Amino acid sequence: MTSSMADTFPGSTRARVLDLIRTRGQASRVELAAATGLTPGTITNAVRGLVDDRLVREAGRVPSDGGSPRRLLELDPRAAYSLGVQMDRSTSSIVLADFTGRILAEDSVRGAGEDPPDVVLTAIAGAVTDLLDATGVPKTSVMGVGLVTHGPQDQGRGMVLGTRPTPAWSHYPLTDTLSDAVDLPVLLENDATAAALGEQWLGEVTSDSFGVLYLASGLGGGVVNGGEVYRGPSFNSVEIGHITIDADGPLCDCGNRGCVEATSGTAAVVLRAMTEGVLPGRLSLSGERDRRLADFQLIAQAAHTGDPQALELVRSAATGLGHAAVTLVNLFGLDTVVLAGPGFSVAGSELRDGITRVLHEAAFSRELAPVDVRLSVHGSIAAALGGALLVLRSGLPTSPTFHA
Amino acid sequence: MTSSMADTFPGSTRARVLDLIRTRGQASRVELAAATGLTPGTITNAVRGLVDDRLVREAGRVPSDGGSPRRLLELDPRAAYSLGVQMDRSTSSIVLADFTGRILAEDSVRGAGEDPPDVVLTAIAGAVTDLLDATGVPKTSVMGVGLVTHGPQDQGRGMVLGTRPTPAWSHYPLTDTLSDAVDLPVLLENDATAAALGEQWLGEVTSDSFGVLYLASGLGGGVVNGGEVYRGPSFNSVEIGHITIDADGPLCDCGNRGCVEATSGTAAVVLRAMTEGVLPGRLSLSGERDRRLADFQLIAQAAHTGDPQALELVRSAATGLGHAAVTLVNLFGLDTVVLAGPGFSVAGSELRDGITRVLHEAAFSRELAPVDVRLSVHGSIAAALGGALLVLRSGLPTSPTFHA
């Protein structure tokens, strides 16, 4: 089922019409024809089918210049639902969205740590079932699950290809396993790409072209260009975390040396803090590998309240992240960067200020216009929501049992 | 005229049909309908117009399964011509292409150095006129000139925006000035992007997704993804030369510190060579700012023939360029990198080997498949040809005096 969903993305006339109405909230048939370039007749036929299938409904009339009033269309929020799961080493977030893309409920569960994938996916499947039970949404109305995690990925096969967090994850059938466990279609997406989609949807970014730095256990990147997510030929983009910023720097989980993730990511900050005399005791850092994002947030909290040693660590990380932002902006020609993910949820303003400073000093376009740096106000749920949106946009369910 | 050419890119049905025939060499109407998704009737009408305008002609028949033989179409090579100018600080290259995109003639002139733009453009205009005179191609048959140089650029206004090579170049009306001087439309393009187009056209790259490192006086980048050149919202992509690889490194022309262009570009190699005791004398390096690419090529030649000091300099540069290639590959998710531009024309194999080594050690996708690194065999003309191709693809001439 996973691959058939992916095959219909970005989809048929029906899918395009649904996506336009979803994005605009309400739209008339005339507006849909103008936006798609399709003929009024084609739009009328597509809308008739969507209304018959109870996916779209009339939403009233608005006056029109000289002619008959335009009849507005909207999605039926209860026509279908979608789940998004952002799976990270430190914590995983789950959102349930209705057919319009509105978040109905969210939950978080313990992250993957270094557990084997079957254990992690079983826990996620349980949380998904609990969330559906708690909201009373029947599984037969759920289109599927967008599973969002780090790369590199083979999205067609639903696998992570690298050996992180442990070799057991490499080529493990993630989507097939989760699909069997929850009895729903599952598709796989890169966390930063999903965060870019989620940020765009949540309306914090007015530009239709922007980059995302996604800071969680790792550091990911995403680019939206002209409203479309950038996808390279291999689907393993935008791997901003593994650019070298110090060729003699520390060894990275990826096996390379001096990656920005290894010098300036959340785990790197925690590893440096653990060597800083009294800091681990003063901040009650656990030092455990599975708890690095939590430890980072303790350090970020201390920095935010003025602890000078913690602030120095956060500022140093911000400089490294700033160089990553410069690279993202220079290569993709962007003027807006969104800082997203749980790594930015505590000391976001301190990190933002440091990243902004480096961008204003070093971005190639600084002579033209300053880069706009925005802090996501949605924390870790933007990526999970992006996963749910991908499912909503992936095409229409064809299962005869779809409507509950 | 410049902006009207740009407005029609990627163009109408006519332009799409012309581009398909240009890419394939020959094509039948059935093939054109299949490739465009347009109806046979639409294709037949478009082809009729193009044949009437003497842009397309019949090229014979081939047998078809069961039905009447397919009639093949081809472009009339003499229907129109196009010029491409790659303008660099050290040398500028000019190509004249026929309507099929075949190079008819090429020339090179002294580079811009630190001369003011009006002086440089006057010299280029003279060389353009000489090339047309030498080949007997009437100016009335030339669609326009694709002017290719470094970024950042405002392509709509035909200007370079930065202060390189000197502040006089910033916001100088390059395309308007050259257009007045040669009495032809002129469009502006980034050198590395044009090189990517030229490389693709010249057929050395079989993949339809690849990155280009373009090494001349500066270092530029280009990306072709799914057959289309990547263009960011600002048109100032892919500025690979100005990513920071050493935050404490040397000052760059762009005003930043430790850019890969400043640590590992051609000028950086020459500046290091000038401090190396006997090397400047042994290799007869000029040390002049305008002659840095020529000096680099002397060093590259020495490295190629085994001079250990020169080889050390080239290998060190290759490591820095390798890190730039890793960044390009990681961010855009690419599996092929083409090394193009005059900087690779002499010690290309030594540079390629060093770049390949870094990619195989550090590219994020190395666990999946090695990155294919290819040396352009077209030197500096790939970028100039890319400029000429952009003119050919920019839409059809509308001037009543167009046909000579």
Side-chain angles (χ1 to χ4, degrees):
Chain A
M1 288 176 90
T2 305
S3 61
S4 71
M5 290 180 69
D7 288 347
T8 60
F9 182 82
S12 57
T13 300
R14 283 166 67 98
R16 287 172 69 193
V17 167
L18 287 175
D19 211 33
L20 275 167
I21 303 176
R22 185 176 291 121
T23 304
R24 296 175 180 218
Q26 296 185 325
S28 69
R29 289 169 180 78
V30 172
E31 287 165 348
L32 292 171
T36 56
L38 296 169
T39 64
T42 303
I43 293 293
T44 298
N45 283 337
V47 167
R48 185 180 302 128
L50 293 167
V51 170
D52 287 348
D53 291 346
R54 288 182 290 168
L55 302 176
V56 167
R57 62 190 185 192
E58 301 279 347
R61 291 158 187 264
V62 288
S64 170
D65 293 347
S68 55
R70 291 181 302 129
R71 286 180 297 161
L72 291 176
L73 302 163
E74 66 182 13
L75 301 190
D76 181 344
R78 300 187 187 182
Y81 300 85
S82 167
L83 287 153
V85 176
Q86 178 262 19
M87 182 172 68
D88 188 64
R89 270 172 279 180
S90 298
T91 187
S92 293
S93 300
I94 303 174
V95 302
L96 173 67
D98 70 18
F99 198 53
T100 69
R102 190 169 67 92
I103 296 177
L104 295 181
E106 54 183 281
D107 194 11
S108 64
V109 295
R110 184 170 167 279
E114 299 197 343
D115 290 345
D118 57 333
V119 172
V120 174
L121 292 171
T122 300
I124 286 173
V128 162
T129 304
D130 290 347
L131 196 66
L132 291 177
D133 288 348
T135 53
V137 168
K139 192 177 279 184
T140 47
S141 294
V142 178
M143 291 173 67
V145 181
L147 180 64
V148 165
T149 194
H150 63 85
Q153 301 176 345
D154 182 333
Q155 298 183 336
R157 294 159 74 200
M159 294 173 172
V160 167
L161 297 172
T163 54
R164 297 174 306 144
T166 68
W169 287 75
S170 177
H171 291 84
Y172 186 89
L174 294 177
T175 57
D176 286 351
T177 304
L178 185 58
S179 183
D180 286 347
V182 296
D183 194 24
L184 287 169
V186 179
L187 59 78
L188 186 64
E189 184 53 86
N190 185 289
D191 48 14
T193 300
L197 282 170
E199 289 296 327
Q200 186 181 33
W201 183 252
L202 291 163
E204 296 304 312
V205 188
T206 49
S207 168
D208 72 345
S209 297
F210 60 94
V212 172
L213 284 188
Y214 187 77
L215 186 64
S217 294
L219 174 68
V223 168
V224 173
N225 182 17
E228 295 291 324
V229 170
Y230 173 81
R231 293 182 188 280
S234 73
F235 287 94
N236 292 303
S237 52
V238 176
E239 287 296 352
I240 191 78
H242 300 279
I243 59 169
T244 305
I245 66 167
D246 178 3
D248 302 318
L251 202 65
C252 180
D253 276 356
C254 84
N256 193 16
R257 203 168 265 289
C259 295
V260 62
E261 181 175 305
T263 67
S264 312
T266 51
V269 169
V270 173
L271 289 173
R272 284 184 57 203
M274 293 308 292
T275 66
E276 292 256 346
V278 298
L279 205 58
R282 193 163 79 224
L283 304 184
S284 305
L285 304 180
S286 79
E288 291 169 26
R289 193 176 164 89
D290 292 1
R291 307 239 336 128
R292 282 193 184 147
L293 187 56
D295 280 350
F296 175 80
Q297 288 177 326
L298 291 172
I299 298 163
Q301 181 61 39
H304 194 59
T305 55
D307 181 303
Q309 283 169 290
L311 197 56
E312 165 58 25
L313 288 171
V314 166
R315 284 184 177 156
S316 172
T319 299
L321 297 172
H323 286 299
V326 167
T327 297
L328 190 67
V329 159
N330 283 0
L331 265 64
F332 286 92
L334 305 170
D335 58 12
T336 302
V337 172
V338 178
L339 308 178
F344 289 112
S345 63
V346 180
S349 57
E350 284 77 12
L351 288 165
R352 181 195 59 206
D353 292 350
I355 291 166
T356 303
R357 178 182 54 74
V358 177
L359 276 164
H360 289 187
E361 285 170 10
F364 192 59
S365 61
R366 67 190 180 281
E367 293 164 354
L368 314 179
V371 177
D372 185 14
V373 183
R374 303 198 169 206
L375 204 51
S376 164
V377 293
H378 306 288
S380 55
I381 67 160
L385 176 61
L389 290 170
L390 279 166
V391 171
L392 292 176
R393 292 176 184 174
S394 66
L396 288 174
T398 52
S399 160
T401 66
F402 176 68
H403 275 97
Chain B
M1 290 176 88
T2 305
S3 61
S4 71
M5 291 180 66
D7 288 348
T8 60
F9 182 83
S12 58
T13 300
R14 281 166 68 97
R16 287 172 70 193
V17 166
L18 287 175
D19 211 34
L20 274 167
I21 302 176
R22 185 176 290 120
T23 304
R24 296 175 180 217
Q26 295 185 326
S28 69
R29 289 168 181 78
V30 171
E31 287 166 348
L32 292 171
T36 56
L38 297 169
T39 65
T42 303
I43 292 295
T44 297
N45 283 336
V47 167
R48 186 180 302 127
L50 292 168
V51 170
D52 287 348
D53 292 346
R54 287 182 289 168
L55 302 175
V56 167
R57 63 191 185 193
E58 302 278 347
R61 293 160 186 262
V62 288
S64 170
D65 292 349
S68 55
R70 290 180 304 129
R71 288 179 295 161
L72 291 177
L73 302 163
E74 66 182 13
L75 301 192
D76 181 345
R78 302 186 187 183
Y81 301 85
S82 167
L83 287 153
V85 176
Q86 179 262 19
M87 181 171 68
D88 187 63
R89 272 173 278 181
S90 297
T91 187
S92 293
S93 299
I94 304 174
V95 302
L96 173 68
D98 70 18
F99 198 55
T100 69
R102 191 169 67 92
I103 295 176
L104 294 181
E106 55 182 282
D107 195 11
S108 63
V109 294
R110 183 170 167 278
E114 298 196 346
D115 290 346
D118 57 333
V119 172
V120 173
L121 293 171
T122 300
I124 286 173
V128 162
T129 303
D130 290 348
L131 196 66
L132 291 177
D133 288 349
T135 53
V137 168
K139 193 177 279 184
T140 47
S141 294
V142 178
M143 292 173 67
V145 181
L147 180 65
V148 165
T149 194
H150 63 86
Q153 301 176 345
D154 182 334
Q155 298 183 336
R157 295 158 75 202
M159 295 173 172
V160 166
L161 297 172
T163 54
R164 296 173 307 143
T166 69
W169 286 76
S170 176
H171 290 84
Y172 186 90
L174 294 176
T175 58
D176 286 351
T177 304
L178 185 59
S179 182
D180 286 348
V182 296
D183 194 25
L184 287 168
V186 179
L187 59 79
L188 186 64
E189 185 52 85
N190 183 291
D191 47 16
T193 300
L197 282 170
E199 289 296 328
Q200 186 181 33
W201 182 251
L202 292 163
E204 295 305 311
V205 187
T206 48
S207 169
D208 72 346
S209 298
F210 59 95
V212 173
L213 284 188
Y214 186 77
L215 186 64
S217 294
L219 174 67
V223 168
V224 172
N225 183 18
E228 295 292 324
V229 171
Y230 173 82
R231 293 183 189 279
S234 72
F235 287 95
N236 292 301
S237 51
V238 176
E239 287 297 352
I240 191 79
H242 300 279
I243 58 168
T244 305
I245 66 166
D246 177 4
D248 302 318
L251 202 64
C252 180
D253 276 355
C254 84
N256 193 15
R257 203 168 265 288
C259 295
V260 63
E261 182 176 304
T263 66
S264 312
T266 52
V269 169
V270 173
L271 288 174
R272 284 184 57 203
M274 293 308 293
T275 67
E276 291 255 348
V278 298
L279 206 58
R282 191 164 79 224
L283 304 184
S284 305
L285 304 181
S286 80
E288 290 168 26
R289 193 176 164 89
D290 292 2
R291 304 227 353 116
R292 283 193 183 148
L293 187 56
D295 280 350
F296 175 80
Q297 289 176 327
L298 291 172
I299 297 164
Q301 181 60 40
H304 194 58
T305 55
D307 181 302
Q309 283 169 292
L311 196 57
E312 166 58 26
L313 287 172
V314 167
R315 284 184 177 158
S316 172
T319 299
L321 296 173
H323 286 300
V326 167
T327 297
L328 190 68
V329 159
N330 283 0
L331 265 63
F332 287 91
L334 305 169
D335 58 12
T336 303
V337 172
V338 178
L339 308 178
F344 289 112
S345 62
V346 180
S349 57
E350 284 78 11
L351 287 165
R352 181 196 59 204
D353 291 350
I355 291 166
T356 303
R357 179 182 54 75
V358 177
L359 276 164
H360 289 187
E361 285 170 9
F364 192 60
S365 61
R366 67 190 180 280
E367 293 165 353
L368 314 179
V371 176
D372 185 13
V373 183
R374 300 195 172 211
L375 205 50
S376 165
V377 294
H378 307 289
S380 55
I381 66 158
L385 175 62
L389 290 170
L390 278 167
V391 170
L392 292 176
R393 292 176 183 174
S394 65
L396 287 174
T398 52
S399 160
T401 64
F402 176 69
H403 275 99

